[in-house]
Amino acid sequence: DARVTQTPRHKVTEMGQEVTMRCQPILGHNTVFWYRQTMMQGLELLAYFRNRAPLDDSGMPKDRFSAEMPDATLATLKIQPSEPRDSAVYFCASGYWDGPYEQYFGPGTRLTVT
Amino acid sequence: GESVGLHLPTLSVQEGDNSIINCAYSNSASDYFIWYKQESGKGPQFIIDIRSNMDKRQGQRVTVLLNKTVKHLSLQIAATQPGDSAVYFCAEGMNYGGSQGNLIFGKGTKLSVKP
């Protein structure tokens, strides 16, 4: 049963610290998405990749957030420095660029910045 | 000050009844629509999709209806069970152009099933 995996599942850190979240997409999927979910804003798209190339990161605060895909089996989302307003659940999802278009979500990383 | 969270529409139904969850989508050019279910503490889970050239699609206990005239999508759940309690999201997307493969998610509806 292929699944998207994310680590860590929970992260508590102090303001100003660097946070790195990792995602392993489903093998064979060629698009990877990063979302953030909060009570205030709901589900927001931060960035997405096609064949490891970044396509759109307009939803991401550029000064502190960065997203990369070092290889086809790993996507990372980094926050440096972290702020309390970054506290949220971060989801990774993967899918196919050319359809079918459903995205498969990981279990999320719950980030708390104090 | 007091924080205000996202106000989710809530649907409360009795176990065994049918549920209808509605969604208004934004882009008349969207090619496909997807319903997701998100249980507490988990990521959204795919339920069913429908292409824009269809007006109805059925799955196991679920039916999605699409009305392009009024840009409305609905998810019907037959014989609702306690395990159906979750937040349900509709999402829309396009299969061409710069947004190909991307999904725009709605705000969600919370379904509560009373035993």
Side-chain angles (χ1 to χ4, degrees):
Chain A
D1 184 25
R3 299 185 183 189
V4 175
T5 59
Q6 290 185 247
T7 56
R9 292 294 313 277
H10 302 273
K11 177 72 176 179
V12 180
T13 191
E14 292 183 346
M15 182 174 62
Q17 296 299 304
E18 178 179 301
V19 175
T20 299
M21 291 169 271
R22 294 177 174 80
C23 166
Q24 182 173 11
I26 291 174
L27 188 65
H29 282 182
N30 53 17
T31 54
V32 174
F33 304 83
W34 281 106
Y35 292 89
R36 174 171 64 183
Q37 188 174 43
T38 63
M39 287 296 293
M40 295 288 288
Q41 300 296 331
L43 198 60
E44 303 174 274
L45 177 66
L46 296 175
Y48 69 104
F49 295 78
R50 173 193 175 193
N51 293 329
R52 295 177 54 202
L55 277 191
D56 186 350
D57 61 1
S58 59
M60 208 163 65
K62 300 291 190 303
D63 56 339
R64 299 183 299 108
F65 284 58
S66 61
E68 296 179 345
M69 279 201 75
D71 60 60
T73 64
L74 177 64
T76 62
L77 180 66
K78 188 176 296 186
I79 307 174
Q80 167 63 22
S82 58
E83 298 181 0
R85 59 178 167 154
D86 301 329
S87 297
V89 181
Y90 291 81
F91 289 105
C92 174
S94 69
Y96 293 107
W97 172 256
D98 49 356
Y101 297 106
E102 58 263 33
Q103 297 174 15
Y104 294 84
F105 283 76
T109 294
R110 180 173 293 276
L111 174 65
T112 303
V113 183
T114 60
Chain B
E2 185 180 277
S3 64
V4 178
L6 192 67
H7 176 66
L8 287 180
T10 299
L11 176 65
S12 185
V13 300
Q14 201 71 39
E15 181 179 358
D17 287 351
N18 296 334
S19 303
I20 300 176
I21 301 171
N22 297 304
C23 174
Y25 63 91
S26 58
N27 188 352
S28 57
S30 290
D31 297 303
Y32 55 91
F33 306 87
I34 301 176
W35 280 100
Y36 281 88
K37 171 186 180 184
Q38 186 176 22
E39 297 175 276
S40 180
K42 297 183 179 180
Q45 179 185 10
F46 171 84
I47 302 174
I48 191 170
D49 64 351
I50 187 169
R51 301 303 165 113
S52 60
N53 60 354
M54 304 169 67
D55 53 21
K56 180 179 180 179
R57 190 167 188 214
Q58 289 185 292
Q60 186 178 12
R61 280 203 307 120
V62 295
T63 300
V64 57
L65 299 178
L66 175 63
N67 184 332
K68 293 184 287 294
T69 302
V70 295
K71 294 193 289 186
H72 183 267
L73 195 65
S74 69
L75 178 71
Q76 301 177 3
I77 304 174
T80 313
Q81 302 168 1
D84 296 325
S85 294
V87 176
Y88 289 80
F89 294 94
C90 66
E92 58 184 305
M94 300 177 71
N95 60 10
Y96 66 94
S99 297
Q100 181 179 347
N102 191 8
L103 289 175
I104 306 298
F105 283 84
K107 296 299 184 185
T109 296
K110 183 177 181 179
L111 175 65
S112 294
V113 181
K114 296 176 287 187

